[in-house]
Amino acid sequence: MQIEEIEHMNEHNRLDDMRATALQGGGQAQIDKQHSKGKKTARERIETLLDTDTFHETDMFVTHRAVGLGMEKSHPLTDGVVTGWGKVDGRIVYVYAQDFTIYGGSLGKEHGLKIARLMDLAYQNGAPVIGLNDSGGARIQEGVDSLAAYGEIFLRNTRSSGVIPQISVILGPCAGGAVYSPAITDFIFMVENYAYMFITGPEVVKAVTHEDVDFETLGGESIHRARSGVAHFTGPDEDAVLGQVRLLLSYLPSNNLAPAPYVPPQDSPTRETTELEDVVPDEPNKSYDVHDVINLLMDSDSFLEVQPDYAQNIVVGFARLDGYPVGIIANQPDILAGVLDINSSDKAARFIRFCDSYHIPLVTLVDTPGFLPGVEQEHGGVIRHGAKLIYAYAEATVPKVSIILRKAYGGAYIVMSSKHLQGDLNFAWPNAEIAVMGPEGAVQIVFRKELANGNAAEIKAEKTRQYRQEFANPYVAASLGYLDDVIYPRESRQKLIAALESLRNKRQATPPRKHGNIPL
Ligand code: HXC
C-alpha cells in the first residue's frame, strides 16, 4: 500500500496502516529478493544487533519530496532508511539501517537528513552511532540534494569523531558517498560475499581506466580486510558480524567523558605468567607469535584483535586487565621480524588515537628491529607514515605502559611508547636489547677497520659479545631512568595490573590550540 492510498483511509486505521506499510519497506517482492541473496532486511538487522525489544524508531513517516524521473508517483515510508535508538548490553546506542528494498538504499535528501538528525541525537546524548550500510550511494533522481545530504552526514561524522564512537557495518554494495561516511567513522565491519566498498563501481572503472575488474576484486571483503586496510573486522555472515559489533562495544565507553565498561574478571590479577619465560626465544633472530604473549598477559579470552589480517607485523586490539579495557599495540616478530613500515605505522597510529580519544589505556609490547629500510618504503613515504606513529604516541595523554620483550633498536625504541614520548611506566624483560642498532650492524660499522685487517670471524664474535654486554641490555636504559624497572616475564601480568591501577586517575593537560597537524 502506498502513502497516497492511506491518506484517504479513516483516522482510526490510519496509524496502524501507516506502521504496517512502513514495516513492509519496499514490499514483499523486494524483501524476497533481498532474502534470496542471503541478506537480512534493515529491520531484521536492527533486531539482530540490539537487545531484544529495545528498538524505538524515529522518523518512520518521512518520505521524499522529489519530483521528476517518476519520483512523484511513489513515496515509500522511511525513505529507505530505518532510524532510531535501542540498547546493546543495556547501554543506549543510536542506529540507522539502510533499506535496500527502497531505491536500493540510495541516499536522497530526506534519507540523509534522517541520518543527520539521528547523529545529532547521539552526539547530544553521548551515545555511539552504528550505521548498517546497504546503499547504491547518492540517489540519482535527487541530484545535488543527495550530495548535499551526504555533506551533512560527513560534517556530523567529523564533529562526532572523538566524542562518540561511530561504527559502520557494510552489508551490501556501498558506492560513492556510501563509503566516505564509513571511512570517517572509527571502525568498519564487512560481511563476506556481498559487501563491497568502492568509490566507483566496475563499470565506471572500465570507462575511465579501461581496467576489467569485478566487484569482489575491486572492493570485496577480502580486499579491504587484507590489502587496503579499510575494514577493521569482517565475518562470514550477518549474525557473526553484528555479534562482533556487540563485542566491540563491550570495550568502548559511550562517549569521551564516560569510563570504558568494567567487566568483573574471571581471571586472577595475581596469576603468575611463568609460561612467558619460554615464549620469547633468547636468540634475537628467532621468531615467535606475540599473540601468545598477549593472551598470557591479559584476562583470559579477552583479546579482540583489530585489523588482524592487515599489516600483520604489528598487532593491535582491545583486551581487559583485571576487568578494565586496555588497548594493546605489539610488534609481531613472526611477520617481517616485527619491523615498522608504512602500513603498520598507519594501523597503529590510528588505533592509538582512538584509544586516546576515549581514555582507554595503552599497553605496548616492544620487540622490533626498527623501521624497514628500502627504496619501496622510502618512495612510499615511510618518513611521513612513520611520523604518524611518533605523533600518535607523543600526543596521547592516556596512561601509557610498555614492556620491552626483546629488541628495541633505534627509532623504534623511541617510537614505541618510550619514556621520551611521555610513556608513564616503562618496563623491560632481562633479555631486552636497547641500543641504536643490533650488535651485528653496530660491530660492522664501528670496527670496520679491525674486521678488514684481522681475523674477521674472531674479532666479530668478540666485539659482538662486548657490545651486547655494554650496550644491548636493559640496564643502561634503566640506569638512566629511561626504564622504570626490569622485570621477569612471570611477574609481568601483576606488574601491568598494578601499573594501570596506579595510573587510573591520570589526567594530563594539553596546550590550548585549535588542533595539532598530524602528518597525514
Ligand atoms: C537511485 C538506485 C541507485 C542510486 C541503485 N538504485 N542505486 N536508485 N540512485 N544511486 C536502485 C536501482 O535502480 C534498482 O531499482 C534498485 O536500486 C536495486 O538496484 P540494482 O541495480 O537492481 O541492484 P544490484 O544489481 O544489486 O546492484 C546494486 C548496485 C547498483 C551495485 C548498488 O545498483 C549500482 O551500481 N548503483 C549505482 C551506484 C553508484 O554509482 N552510485 C552513485 C555513487 S556517486 P529498481 O526500481 O529497479 O528496483 C555518489 C556521490 C557522492 O554517491 C560522493 C560523495 C563523496
Side-chain angles (χ1 to χ4, degrees):
M1 194 180 301
Q2 286 291 320
I3 181 72
E4 287 81 354
E5 297 167 52
I6 295 168
E7 274 164 10
H8 301 295
M9 300 185 77
N10 77 45
E11 289 305 313
H12 179 69
N13 294 333
R14 192 166 172 180
L15 178 58
D16 284 350
D17 286 333
M18 284 182 77
R19 281 183 174 168
T21 303
L23 295 182
Q24 276 296 302
Q28 195 56 48
Q30 290 287 351
I31 291 174
D32 292 345
K33 202 169 161 193
Q34 179 87 346
H35 285 158
S36 72
K37 296 177 192 162
K39 297 165 75 176
K40 287 181 192 285
T41 64
R43 290 177 187 283
E44 288 163 350
R45 287 167 176 168
I46 289 175
E47 232 171 77
T48 307
L49 173 69
L50 299 179
D51 296 349
T52 311
D53 291 335
T54 59
F55 183 56
H56 295 268
E57 187 162 347
T58 57
D59 284 342
M60 182 188 249
F61 306 129
V62 164
T63 58
H64 74 77
R65 299 165 194 199
V67 286
L69 295 175
M71 290 297 281
E72 59 284 351
K73 290 187 197 134
S74 137
H75 295 87
L77 293 172
T78 73
D79 199 30
V81 61
V82 181
T83 53
W85 77 90
K87 289 183 180 173
V88 170
D89 289 335
R91 291 191 299 158
I92 295 285
V93 297
Y94 289 81
V95 59
Y96 71 85
Q98 290 176 314
D99 185 347
F100 198 79
T101 69
I102 297 176
Y103 304 130
S106 61
L107 186 139
K109 182 178 178 187
E110 299 307 326
H111 177 131
L113 293 184
K114 275 182 70 171
I115 296 175
R117 283 194 290 275
L118 187 87
M119 294 173 79
D120 286 343
L121 281 172
Y123 178 80
Q124 281 152 15
N125 295 296
V129 176
I130 302 155
L132 308 180
N133 296 268
D134 190 357
S135 167
R139 187 175 296 160
I140 295 160
Q141 297 90 328
E142 295 199 36
V144 70
D145 262 346
S146 304
L147 305 181
Y150 264 127
E152 298 290 335
I153 294 171
F154 299 163
L155 180 76
R156 284 164 176 80
N157 283 137
T158 307
R159 192 181 62 183
S160 299
S161 182
V163 180
I164 47 171
Q166 300 179 84
I167 292 172
S168 301
V169 191
I170 312 297
L171 298 166
C174 284
V179 298
Y180 269 130
S181 169
I184 308 172
T185 64
D186 297 304
F187 295 103
I188 295 181
F189 291 71
M190 284 181 84
V191 69
E192 285 173 23
N193 299 323
Y194 50 81
Y196 308 110
M197 297 179 77
F198 33 69
I199 305 292
T200 52
E203 281 173 34
V204 179
V205 170
K206 172 89 181 155
V208 176
T209 69
H210 310 296
E211 289 166 296
D212 263 321
V213 65
D214 59 27
F215 277 62
E216 191 62 43
T217 316
L218 185 62
E221 169 270 342
S222 65
I223 295 298
H224 291 310
R225 168 169 52 79
R227 290 279 294 278
S228 72
V230 165
H232 299 87
F233 301 94
T234 67
D237 55 44
E238 298 195 16
D239 285 346
V241 168
L242 295 171
Q244 273 202 312
V245 173
R246 290 176 61 91
L247 182 63
L248 173 64
L249 284 166
S250 74
Y251 293 88
L252 310 185
S254 293
N255 60 64
N256 64 332
L257 301 176
Y262 167 79
V263 175
Q266 306 293 315
D267 203 348
S268 163
T270 55
R271 170 169 62 80
E272 281 212 336
T273 43
T274 37
E275 302 95 318
L276 281 176
E277 308 279 349
D278 301 322
V279 171
V280 179
D282 292 337
E283 301 85 338
N285 296 329
K286 264 203 173 162
S287 73
Y288 63 94
D289 186 351
V290 80
H291 289 101
D292 294 337
V293 179
I294 295 169
N295 288 328
L296 285 164
L297 284 174
M298 300 298 133
D299 291 358
S300 51
D301 296 326
S302 73
F303 184 52
L304 174 65
E305 187 165 356
V306 177
Q307 290 178 305
D309 295 323
Y310 178 71
Q312 292 177 310
N313 41 329
I314 205 154
V315 172
V316 302
F318 299 100
R320 287 198 179 78
L321 266 175
D322 202 24
Y324 292 95
V326 293
I328 312 267
I329 303 97
N331 306 117
Q332 171 58 295
D334 238 1
I335 308 283
L336 296 169
V339 285
L340 293 173
D341 59 3
I342 291 171
N343 291 346
S344 58
S345 298
D346 278 0
K347 171 177 164 180
R350 180 145 173 85
F351 181 72
I352 290 164
R353 297 191 96 220
F354 176 84
C355 291
D356 189 43
S357 301
Y358 293 99
H359 211 69
I360 297 172
L362 300 172
V363 174
T364 302
L365 305 175
V366 188
D367 189 348
T368 172
F371 280 96
L372 178 63
V375 175
E376 197 186 315
Q377 286 288 308
E378 296 290 354
H379 289 191
V382 68
I383 297 172
R384 181 162 55 86
H385 295 283
K388 292 177 194 172
L389 190 54
I390 304 177
Y391 193 107
Y393 266 122
E395 165 193 57
T397 58
V398 275
K400 292 187 277 193
V401 181
S402 74
I403 305 179
I404 299 175
L405 309 180
R406 196 171 55 173
K407 284 177 269 186
Y409 292 140
Y413 157 70
I414 314 170
V415 176
M416 296 299 293
S417 198
S418 71
K419 186 68 78 199
H420 323 290
L421 301 185
Q422 292 199 331
D424 293 296
L425 289 168
N426 298 87
F427 304 111
W429 285 355
N431 282 349
E433 299 179 3
I434 305 168
V436 172
M437 63 177 73
E440 285 75 20
V443 166
Q444 207 70 44
I445 291 169
V446 178
F447 301 106
R448 186 177 295 147
K449 285 194 195 113
E450 287 90 328
L451 288 169
N453 297 330
N455 180 338
E458 207 174 280
I459 297 171
K460 193 174 174 192
E462 173 55 16
K463 295 295 181 194
T464 302
R465 192 196 58 75
Q466 247 179 38
Y467 180 88
R468 206 178 285 284
Q469 180 76 18
E470 284 180 34
F471 293 99
N473 64 64
Y475 301 106
V476 181
S479 73
L480 296 168
Y482 299 160
L483 291 174
D484 295 282
D485 205 354
V486 181
I487 60 173
Y488 287 110
R490 65 173 175 275
E491 54 193 10
S492 299
R493 173 173 160 82
Q494 299 167 3
K495 190 63 90 175
L496 282 178
I497 289 172
L500 289 168
E501 188 185 6
S502 77
L503 298 170
R504 194 147 295 138
N505 296 326
K506 180 185 176 192
R507 285 283 179 255
Q508 186 180 326
T510 51
R513 60 179 169 181
K514 190 168 177 191
H515 56 70
N517 186 15
I518 188 166
L520 295 172

